[in-house]
């Protein structure tokens, strides 16, 4: 609030974002091993707005776009609204870069959406070797990589080494990065950003004039102040998320031992495999019991992943334990329900 009067004497429209916030964001990338200038940063009204701007500029109706399976549902929504033809490639225990490269060649994709930083929803962290290989595959396919880094900074062990950003392996402006204050700081701060080449950043600034013109000033000032205290913020978030992760994992092992999962080293959710493809049924039953979880098919383009649920661990440990008790009740209800039989005979 003390800084705000400096800005109220002006119109308040900064389509690229406040210069002081762009400097701090650029410095953050430089500290992660990716030298960045402020003119490569465009501040947006959240990461979803960033994805929308990028798809409006880079994707035309009918264009094939490679996406991971599973992946962030609202990214799929932004691509569908542009009429993109989505080409899914599975990410189970990690990235099969050879398969991704072959899919690029076979489908002639020119845009790839990837979540290399504590992948949503699996929590996986893409190794440096895979990042280098993925950028090289995109270069050979003449494709652009949109790297969703919304979960960057959410490592649970702050002393563990993390690979450089995906764009650090790029020398031709082929990687466009999306970041956000929502997960590290607070979802109510609708501030995100795009890191791109300076020419692409200028095009993005011009393209947003038809949508929201600029992001709000006060929220940008708040985000700048918090990013200047990044290490303090990260330590607080890491401690809280680690407590939630371990409480959720312990409750699942006790109440739902048939659900299997790998403990992620960062991010905000578990991605358990169920004993049967009944994720939607369990989600429906859990909602009636006051617990809202998202079933696996929401995270895929092609209706699969019915044996998966995303379980965030952002709530207090005691709340998570109550939630797991109710999930176990929902599982019991689904198990006790009569099997659904087809109304018509099946001819083979």
């Amino acid at each position: 609030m003390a800084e705000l009067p400096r800005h109220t004497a002006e119109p308040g429209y900064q389509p690229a974002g406040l210069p002081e916030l762009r400097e701090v964001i650029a410095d953050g990338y430089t500290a992660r091993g990716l030298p960045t200038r402020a003119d490569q940063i465009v501040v947006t009204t959240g990461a979803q707005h960033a994805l929308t701007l990028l798809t409006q500029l880079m994707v035309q109706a009918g264009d094939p776009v490679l996406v991971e399976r599973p992946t962030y549902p609202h990214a799929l929504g932004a691509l569908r609204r542009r009429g993109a033809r989505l080409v899914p490639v599975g990410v189970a225990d990690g990235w099969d870069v050879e398969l991704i490269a072959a899919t690029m060649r076979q489908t002639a994709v020119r845009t790839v959406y990837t979540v290399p930083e504590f992948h949503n929803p699996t929590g996986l962290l893409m190794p440096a070797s895979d990042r280098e290989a993925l950028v090289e595959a995109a270069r050979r396919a003449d494709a652009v990589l949109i790297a969703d880094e919304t979960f960057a900074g959410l490592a649970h062990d702050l002393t563990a080494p993390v690979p450089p950003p995906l764009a650090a392996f790029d020398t031709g402006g082929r990687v466009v990065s999306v970041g956000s204050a929502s997960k590290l700081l607070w979802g109510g701060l609708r501030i995100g950003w795009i890191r791109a080449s300076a020419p692409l950043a200028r095009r993005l600034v011009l393209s947003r004039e038809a949508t929201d013109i600029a992001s709000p000033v006060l929220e940008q000032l708040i985000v700048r102040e918090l990013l200047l205290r990044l290490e303090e913020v990260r330590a607080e978030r890491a401690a809280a998320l680690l407590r939630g992760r371990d409480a959720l994992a312990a409750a699942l092992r006790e109440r739902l031992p048939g659900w299997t999962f790998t403990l992620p080293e960062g991010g905000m959710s578990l991605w358990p495999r169920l004993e049967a493809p009944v994720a939607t049924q369990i989600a429906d039953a859990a909602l009636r019991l006051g617990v809202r979880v998202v079933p696996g098919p929401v995270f895929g383009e092609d209706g699969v992943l019915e044996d998966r649920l995303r379980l965030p661990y952002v709530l207090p440990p005691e709340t998570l334990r109550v939630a797991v008790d109710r999930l176990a009740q929902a599982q019991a209800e689904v198990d006790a329900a009569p099997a659904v039989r087809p109304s018509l005979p099946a001819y083979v």
Side-chain angles (χ1 to χ4, degrees):
M1 292 299 294
E3 289 289 318
L4 190 58
R6 290 198 305 108
H7 299 273
T8 54
E10 303 172 351
Y13 301 127
Q14 295 271 9
L18 296 184
E20 53 263 54
L21 175 58
R22 293 162 64 204
E23 287 282 358
V24 171
I25 294 171
D27 290 346
Y29 279 107
T30 300
R32 292 171 60 200
L34 176 58
T36 302
R37 303 185 310 274
D39 64 352
Q40 295 179 262
I41 302 297
V42 178
V43 177
T44 61
T45 311
Q48 187 63 30
H49 178 227
L51 291 172
T52 300
L53 283 177
L54 288 169
T55 56
Q56 287 175 346
L57 193 63
M58 300 168 60
V59 178
Q60 301 298 319
D63 284 356
V65 177
L66 191 146
V67 295
E68 294 158 348
R69 185 207 299 124
T71 193
Y72 179 50
H74 294 314
L76 297 178
L79 290 166
R80 290 188 189 109
R81 282 193 297 273
R82 290 298 294 167
R85 178 167 61 85
L86 301 183
V87 180
V89 174
V91 175
D93 299 319
W95 287 262
D96 185 338
V97 180
E98 290 186 7
L99 175 61
I100 293 173
T103 304
M104 285 187 197
R105 293 193 302 270
Q106 293 165 5
T107 59
V109 299
R110 293 294 178 266
T111 306
V112 176
Y113 171 74
T114 181
V115 188
E117 311 293 341
F118 301 118
H119 180 271
N120 183 13
T122 67
L124 295 169
L125 182 64
M126 185 183 290
S129 58
D130 285 354
R131 296 176 187 230
E132 184 176 17
L134 180 59
V135 172
E136 174 59 22
R139 186 193 65 78
R140 293 197 303 269
D142 193 24
V144 173
L145 298 170
I146 299 175
D148 188 338
E149 298 185 342
T150 302
F151 287 82
L154 287 180
H156 300 332
D157 180 359
L158 300 183
T159 65
V162 294
L166 189 66
F169 300 92
D170 174 35
T171 58
R174 194 168 297 283
V175 178
V176 181
S177 306
V178 172
S180 173
S182 295
K183 300 299 186 292
L184 182 60
L185 303 178
W186 180 48
L189 287 170
R190 302 309 306 145
I191 297 297
W193 54 84
I194 299 168
R195 183 206 180 272
S197 65
L200 178 56
R202 288 192 292 270
R203 290 174 61 200
L204 287 164
V205 169
L206 292 174
S207 72
R208 79 180 297 181
E209 293 179 355
T211 54
D212 74 333
I213 302 178
S215 297
V217 171
L218 182 58
E219 283 82 347
Q220 292 185 70
L221 292 173
I222 293 170
V223 169
R224 178 181 181 274
E225 290 298 317
L226 291 172
L227 291 181
L228 288 173
R229 298 161 49 188
L230 182 61
E231 294 311 310
E232 177 188 347
V233 172
R234 287 186 64 213
E236 181 180 321
R237 289 292 279 153
L241 288 171
L242 190 58
R243 286 193 299 270
R245 185 200 70 175
D246 291 348
L248 177 60
L252 287 173
R253 291 182 181 121
E254 177 186 348
R255 300 287 282 117
L256 290 160
W259 294 14
T260 59
F261 53 87
T262 300
L263 280 180
E265 297 177 355
M268 305 171 76
S269 61
L270 296 184
W271 181 242
R273 185 185 299 277
L274 312 183
E275 297 177 90
V278 291
T280 299
Q281 294 170 257
I282 289 179
D284 290 343
L287 187 59
R288 293 192 293 271
L289 298 169
V291 178
R292 184 172 183 266
V293 294
V294 184
V298 174
F299 297 88
E301 166 56 16
D302 39 15
V304 296
L305 304 173
E306 266 291 357
D307 62 341
R308 296 280 192 169
L309 281 173
R310 184 182 68 172
L311 303 181
Y313 43 82
V314 296
L315 297 174
E318 58 273 17
T319 305
L320 293 171
R321 284 189 281 269
V322 172
V324 172
D325 287 341
R326 297 184 187 181
L327 285 173
Q329 185 179 341
Q331 173 79 75
E333 289 183 11
V334 171
D335 290 344
V340 177
R341 298 188 178 186
S343 57
L344 296 174
Y347 298 99
V348 177

